């Protein structure tokens, strides 16, 4: 686990979530390129004339300065980094869903630079309206893999190569196996697993089964506490 230095300047960040702190301040959960997710306090950000209040927006790349020795850092400044990203309608709901996933699954103070870059590309894809459901699918899988969860797609639990036309049962933390081995998990055809492994979602069956698989896996790792954005996501998925 990497611990940020006491003072950092001009660090690329995304705002995942904000909530009130004391009478006039906000705490922002920020996803940083170099240090992972960290909490920072934006002092006075709830005051009407606060210069920083309007910049604490999700889905925008920002340059942030912060300092402090404790887990909760003090936000000292924010600047716009790139052109503003506009998410509307279904794309905006998808963005809220991604941020809630990150808040629930991403530990604090663990660097994930590759995931930061993939999140950035995902936000751009959403802003352009590109295949929203498939964009989500790719990010869900990338997130679980980046966090170290075992989502093996090209081999079964016995390390045998996946057979495209074979029907498997996929169980969280074990992977694909013969139907006779367990009643847990969900059924999925081998081609779907191989398509997901190669980032190919053209096939209709792959689209449907990958959605079911990711719902199952995320439900397993999220536990019993439902996502606030879940109903919006379910409505979008149909």
């Amino acid at each position: 686990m990497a611990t940020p230095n006491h003072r950092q300047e001009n660090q690329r960040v995304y705002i995942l979530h904000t909530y009130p702190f004391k009478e006039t301040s906000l705490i922002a959960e920020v996803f940083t390129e170099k240090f992972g997710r960290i909490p920072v306090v934006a002092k006075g950000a709830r005051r009407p004339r606060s210069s920083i209040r309007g910049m604490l927006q999700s889905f925008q790349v920002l340059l942030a300065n912060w300092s402090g020795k404790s887990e909760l850092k003090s936000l000292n400044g924010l600047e716009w980094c790139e052109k503003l990203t506009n998410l509307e309608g279904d794309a905006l709901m998808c963005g809220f869903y991604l941020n809630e996933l990150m808040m629930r699954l991403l530990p604090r103070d663990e660097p994930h630079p590759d995931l930061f870059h993939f999140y950035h590309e995902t936000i751009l894809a959403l802003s352009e309206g590109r295949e929203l459901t498939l964009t989500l699918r790719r990010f869900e899988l990338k997130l679980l893999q980046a966090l170290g969860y075992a989502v093996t797609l090209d081999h079964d639990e016995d390390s045998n190569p996946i057979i495209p036309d074979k029907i498997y049962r996929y169980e969280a933390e074990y992977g694909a196996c013969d139907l006779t081995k367990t009643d847990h998990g969900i059924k999925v055809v081998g081609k779907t697993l191989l398509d997901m492994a190669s980032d190919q979602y053209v096939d209709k069956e792959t689209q449907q089964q990958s959605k079911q698989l990711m719902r199952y896996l995320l439900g397993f790792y999220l536990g019993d506490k439902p996502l606030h954005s879940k109903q919006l996501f379910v409505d979008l998925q149909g």
Side-chain angles (χ1 to χ4, degrees):
M1 180 181 295
T3 302
N5 296 330
H6 298 331
R7 179 178 296 275
Q8 294 293 334
E9 296 183 351
N10 297 322
Q11 298 293 327
R12 285 162 54 92
V13 306
Y14 273 99
I15 306 294
L16 296 178
H17 181 63
T18 63
Y19 49 94
F21 180 69
K22 297 185 176 179
E23 292 185 0
T24 61
S25 301
L26 287 170
I27 289 179
E29 293 281 350
V30 299
F31 183 33
T32 74
E33 183 175 21
K34 294 184 178 180
F35 305 104
R37 179 167 74 95
I38 64 171
V40 298
V41 59
K43 296 178 180 178
R46 297 169 66 193
R47 294 192 178 113
R49 296 185 180 180
S50 170
S51 60
I52 207 171
R53 183 175 185 176
M55 300 185 71
L56 291 169
Q57 299 183 28
S58 296
F59 318 125
Q60 311 298 329
V61 188
L62 301 167
L63 291 179
N65 304 328
W66 68 82
S67 60
K69 298 181 181 180
S70 64
E71 181 182 28
L72 180 61
K73 309 301 180 184
S74 294
L75 184 64
N76 300 324
L78 279 179
E79 296 180 17
W80 301 112
C81 182
E82 299 179 5
K83 69 177 183 178
L84 294 182
T85 304
N86 187 32
L87 269 60
E88 298 180 334
D90 290 347
L92 181 60
M93 290 190 290
C94 291
F96 287 138
Y97 169 72
L98 293 188
N99 280 6
E100 191 171 5
L101 277 182
M102 298 278 280
M103 286 292 298
R104 289 284 300 277
L105 294 175
L106 187 65
R108 285 176 172 171
D109 297 327
E110 290 188 6
H112 290 282
D114 290 341
L115 182 61
F116 182 93
H117 298 150
F118 197 82
Y119 176 86
H120 175 66
E121 292 301 319
T122 300
I123 294 300
L124 293 180
L126 292 178
S127 71
E128 296 169 4
R130 287 187 265 144
E131 299 179 315
L132 297 183
T133 58
L134 302 187
T135 297
L136 292 185
R137 204 87 323 111
R138 292 183 172 105
F139 185 82
E140 291 166 345
L141 179 59
K142 180 70 173 182
L143 176 60
L144 290 184
Q145 291 176 332
L147 296 180
Y149 295 116
V151 187
T152 303
L153 299 169
D154 54 358
H155 288 77
D156 67 16
E157 65 176 2
D158 295 321
S159 299
N160 299 313
I162 292 294
I163 301 171
D165 59 355
K166 180 177 178 178
I167 298 176
Y168 294 88
R169 190 172 287 277
Y170 200 101
E171 184 176 359
E173 298 193 327
Y174 292 95
C177 67
D178 291 337
L179 295 178
T180 57
K181 284 192 173 183
T182 180
D183 293 329
H184 301 293
I186 65 169
K187 291 182 180 179
V188 60
V189 70
K191 182 180 183 303
T192 294
L193 300 176
L194 294 174
D195 283 348
M196 293 175 67
S198 59
D199 197 31
Q200 298 296 322
Y201 292 87
V202 176
D203 186 85
K204 293 296 183 182
E205 185 176 40
T206 295
Q207 294 176 17
Q208 182 64 27
Q209 290 193 350
S210 64
K211 175 178 67 175
Q212 295 170 348
L213 178 59
M214 294 313 303
R215 280 186 181 179
Y216 159 71
L217 290 174
L218 287 169
F220 178 87
Y221 290 115
L222 287 168
D224 295 332
K225 185 179 178 182
L227 293 169
H228 294 297
S229 58
K230 183 178 181 180
Q231 189 57 51
L232 293 176
F233 173 66
V234 170
D235 291 344
L236 174 63
Q237 299 298 291

